[in-house]
Amino acid sequence: MEAAVAAMIFGDRSYFYDVGFFGLQDTLWDGQGRHYFKSCTIQGAMDFIFGTGQSLYEDCTISAIGANLGPGIIGFITAQGRTNPNDANGDHITFAEYGNSGPGSDTSKRVSWLKKLDSSTVSKLATTSFIDTEGSDNNKLKLQYNPNKEGK
């Protein structure tokens, strides 16, 4: 498989809303800087999100389509790029859920390592303060987090 980068992002404080990134390998090169993705679709097969950027993906659909490459291929979202667990860059993904309801919300058959978040943790994670380190209201991105909705 040959890499075909769909997007390369090296700017700081970049914002993407309702954008689709489609490819197989190396789809989204989150090169460096702080980035915010809202309601985006990112699709690929092998290591398709990579780079040293620090990004928040809110309400995004991320799909691994490795099975389309052939039998027995499952695909991978990202390859771990850190050499030190305290590095501020590299890839780190947490699989978690909050306020899950409706069809498919039965967690009895989920993997044991899935994290269930409480509203206090979600409030800390749902911030763009990493993008706006100066605290300037003019540069802040506002997240629409409502702790009373409990993820519904």
Side-chain angles (χ1 to χ4, degrees), residues 97-107 110 149-152:
E97 64 181 38
Y98 169 73
N100 193 3
S101 63
S105 64
D106 177 15
T107 60
R110 301 271 171 82
K149 291 183 92 174
E150 292 298 315
K152 294 181 180 91

Side-chain angles (χ1 to χ4, degrees), residues 1-88:
M1 175 185 338
E2 194 168 316
V5 175
M8 179 176 64
I9 304 148
F10 277 79
D12 194 25
R13 296 184 186 182
S14 299
Y15 175 87
F16 300 89
Y17 176 74
D18 199 23
V19 177
F21 303 92
F22 301 93
L24 289 176
Q25 183 177 3
D26 300 340
T27 303
L28 179 57
W29 187 355
D30 196 0
Q32 69 182 52
R34 296 163 291 177
H35 312 128
Y36 178 68
F37 297 84
K38 169 78 174 169
S39 301
C40 293
T41 300
I42 306 161
Q43 180 177 288
M46 302 297 264
D47 307 334
F48 58 94
I49 300 175
F50 68 104
T52 59
Q54 296 177 347
S55 299
L56 177 64
Y57 301 88
E58 183 183 8
D59 294 328
C60 291
T61 300
I62 299 175
S63 302
I65 58 167
N68 292 344
L69 299 177
I73 300 175
I74 57 172
F76 298 95
I77 296 172
T78 188
Q80 182 50 259
R82 291 183 180 180
T83 56
N84 178 333
N86 297 317
D87 283 348

Side-chain angles (χ1 to χ4, degrees), residues 98 117-129 143 145 147:
Y98 169 73
L117 304 178
D118 59 27
S119 60
S120 172
T121 303
V122 170
S123 180
K124 291 174 189 172
L125 292 173
T127 178
T128 57
S129 62
L143 293 181
Y145 167 67

Side-chain angles (χ1 to χ4, degrees), residues 139-150:
N139 293 323
K140 267 189 186 167
L141 297 171
K142 304 290 185 190
L143 293 181
Q144 297 177 346
Y145 167 67
N146 182 346
N148 298 322
K149 291 183 92 174
E150 292 298 315

